Amino acid sequence: MSEVPHFVDRLHRDLREVGWPEPAEIRARARRRSRRKAALSALTVLAVLAGSAVAVRQRSTVSSSTPAAPVAASSPAPARAEIPLDALLAPADLLTTTRVRLGGAGLGETVRVDPLLESCGREREVAAQLPVSRASRSQTLLRPADGADASARPVLTQDVYRIEPARGRWFFDEIDRLLDACSRWNLVTSTLTAEQQPVRTHQEHRWEPSVRDFAGDQSVLLRHVALQPRAEPDGEPVGMPSTVENTVVVRVGDLVSVVVPARETVVDRVDDTSPGIDYGPLIDVGKAAASRLCPAAARPAGPPC
């Protein structure tokens, strides 16, 4: 127990010899310690943020180097196919009064200009490759029936076809091939006589382009003369008398209009005794048909139609 007092004495002596800092210095040391802790905390936060930024850059690099998943390309707008009713001639476009309108629409039909002209081409081994339309629309305008005639007679028929745009000019080249081969064609067939007896006959047909390029992007007025059939072998005329039929063909862009006026609506003669036909009314019909086609046609950039 005697050692305890000696230990206590030494402790008191050592404590008296210890130099204690002033209170101001103690407070200064406490402030420095607090700043060091704050700096270390800030460095820790910066290190975490830097690591996050590196990770983000790495992910961005990987994403940019990795091919992006293909995005489905938007499908192009479908090509116009339908033919609106406004693309057809209206009764107001004609000089003749019409009040009855018959018509229909179709798909995938071959463009028809003159079936008899095509038959001549096939016989002469000039099979024209007439285009197949994507869509078509047809109409027949009828003259109103009067008291003397209860039947409504046609004023004109019209077919409008939508074809591939690249085949427009080529289509008119095919018409020219047929016209070159069939300027004159002798059709052998059978005809009924006045006594209703069948007789073998031959009938001469002629086609010519009367007027060209009067409307739209391309146009032609075809004149078809069918002479009266003649019986074989004596050559006596039989059957219906000679007739003339005019066909107006107009193209605007990818639309083609084929207009056939009724024979009695056009003053035309087969012989050469008349001063000549006035094609003005038919040309006017062609121009009206072109103006009707224009809003519905697909055309390349260029002057307005």
Side-chain angles (χ1 to χ4, degrees):
M1 295 294 294
S2 59
E3 295 180 355
V4 174
H6 294 290
F7 174 76
V8 173
D9 291 339
R10 282 199 306 272
L11 179 61
H12 281 289
R13 285 195 302 270
D14 292 338
L15 288 175
R16 285 195 298 268
E17 292 175 359
V18 172
W20 295 99
E22 295 296 327
E25 184 179 354
I26 294 174
R27 288 192 296 269
R29 289 180 181 177
R31 286 194 297 269
R32 286 195 296 270
R33 189 177 296 114
S34 299
R35 283 197 295 269
R36 282 197 299 269
K37 289 181 179 180
L40 288 173
S41 299
L43 289 175
T44 302
V45 171
L46 290 176
V48 172
L49 292 177
S52 301
V54 171
V56 170
R57 283 198 301 273
Q58 289 176 345
R59 287 195 296 270
S60 300
T61 303
V62 171
S63 299
S64 60
S65 61
T66 304
V71 179
S74 57
S75 58
R80 299 178 68 178
E82 78 289 347
I83 300 175
L85 187 61
D86 289 343
L88 300 176
L89 288 167
D93 298 322
L94 308 175
L95 297 177
T96 305
T97 303
T98 62
R99 294 181 181 175
V100 182
R101 192 177 198 174
L102 306 176
L107 296 171
E109 296 183 2
T110 301
V111 179
R112 294 298 181 202
V113 176
D114 186 333
L116 200 58
L117 179 62
E118 295 174 41
S119 297
C120 171
R122 287 191 293 269
E123 183 181 289
R124 297 189 172 179
E125 298 182 350
V126 182
Q129 301 298 316
L130 299 179
V132 175
S133 63
R134 303 204 309 269
S136 62
R137 186 179 284 274
S138 62
Q139 71 168 347
T140 300
L141 296 179
L142 303 177
R143 181 181 288 107
D146 53 29
D149 187 359
S151 62
R153 291 171 297 168
V155 173
L156 64 76
T157 61
Q158 180 185 20
D159 297 302
V160 175
Y161 304 91
R162 191 180 295 280
I163 62 177
E164 294 299 328
R167 291 181 171 256
R169 189 166 296 278
W170 167 80
F171 164 62
F172 276 75
D173 291 340
E174 292 298 288
I175 294 177
D176 287 340
R177 289 181 62 217
L178 291 173
L179 293 175
D180 291 341
C182 298
S183 58
R184 290 178 181 268
W185 180 48
N186 195 35
L187 175 62
V188 178
T189 184
S190 295
T191 304
L192 292 178
T193 63
E195 293 78 18
Q196 299 300 307
Q197 296 296 321
V199 60
R200 183 179 174 86
T201 62
H202 66 273
Q203 183 182 28
E204 183 178 339
H205 293 265
R206 305 172 187 171
W207 285 275
E208 63 176 349
S210 301
V211 190
R212 290 182 182 271
D213 298 329
F214 51 87
D217 295 325
Q218 287 176 286
S219 55
V220 64
L221 174 58
L222 303 179
R223 184 171 183 261
H224 171 212
V225 176
L227 298 179
Q228 186 174 12
R230 294 188 175 271
E232 295 182 351
D234 54 10
E236 288 293 325
V238 294
M240 295 185 61
S242 301
T243 59
V244 180
E245 185 174 72
N246 292 278
T247 302
V248 181
V249 186
V250 179
R251 180 181 71 85
V252 176
D254 63 342
L255 290 179
V256 173
S257 178
V258 180
V259 182
V260 183
R263 294 169 184 169
E264 63 270 16
T265 62
V266 180
V267 179
D268 197 352
R269 298 181 61 176
V270 176
D271 56 41
D272 298 325
T273 61
S274 64
I277 181 176
D278 179 12
Y279 290 110
L282 290 173
I283 292 175
D284 290 341
V285 169
K287 291 179 178 179
S291 65
R292 289 283 181 177
L293 297 179
C294 188
R299 300 180 71 246
C305 57

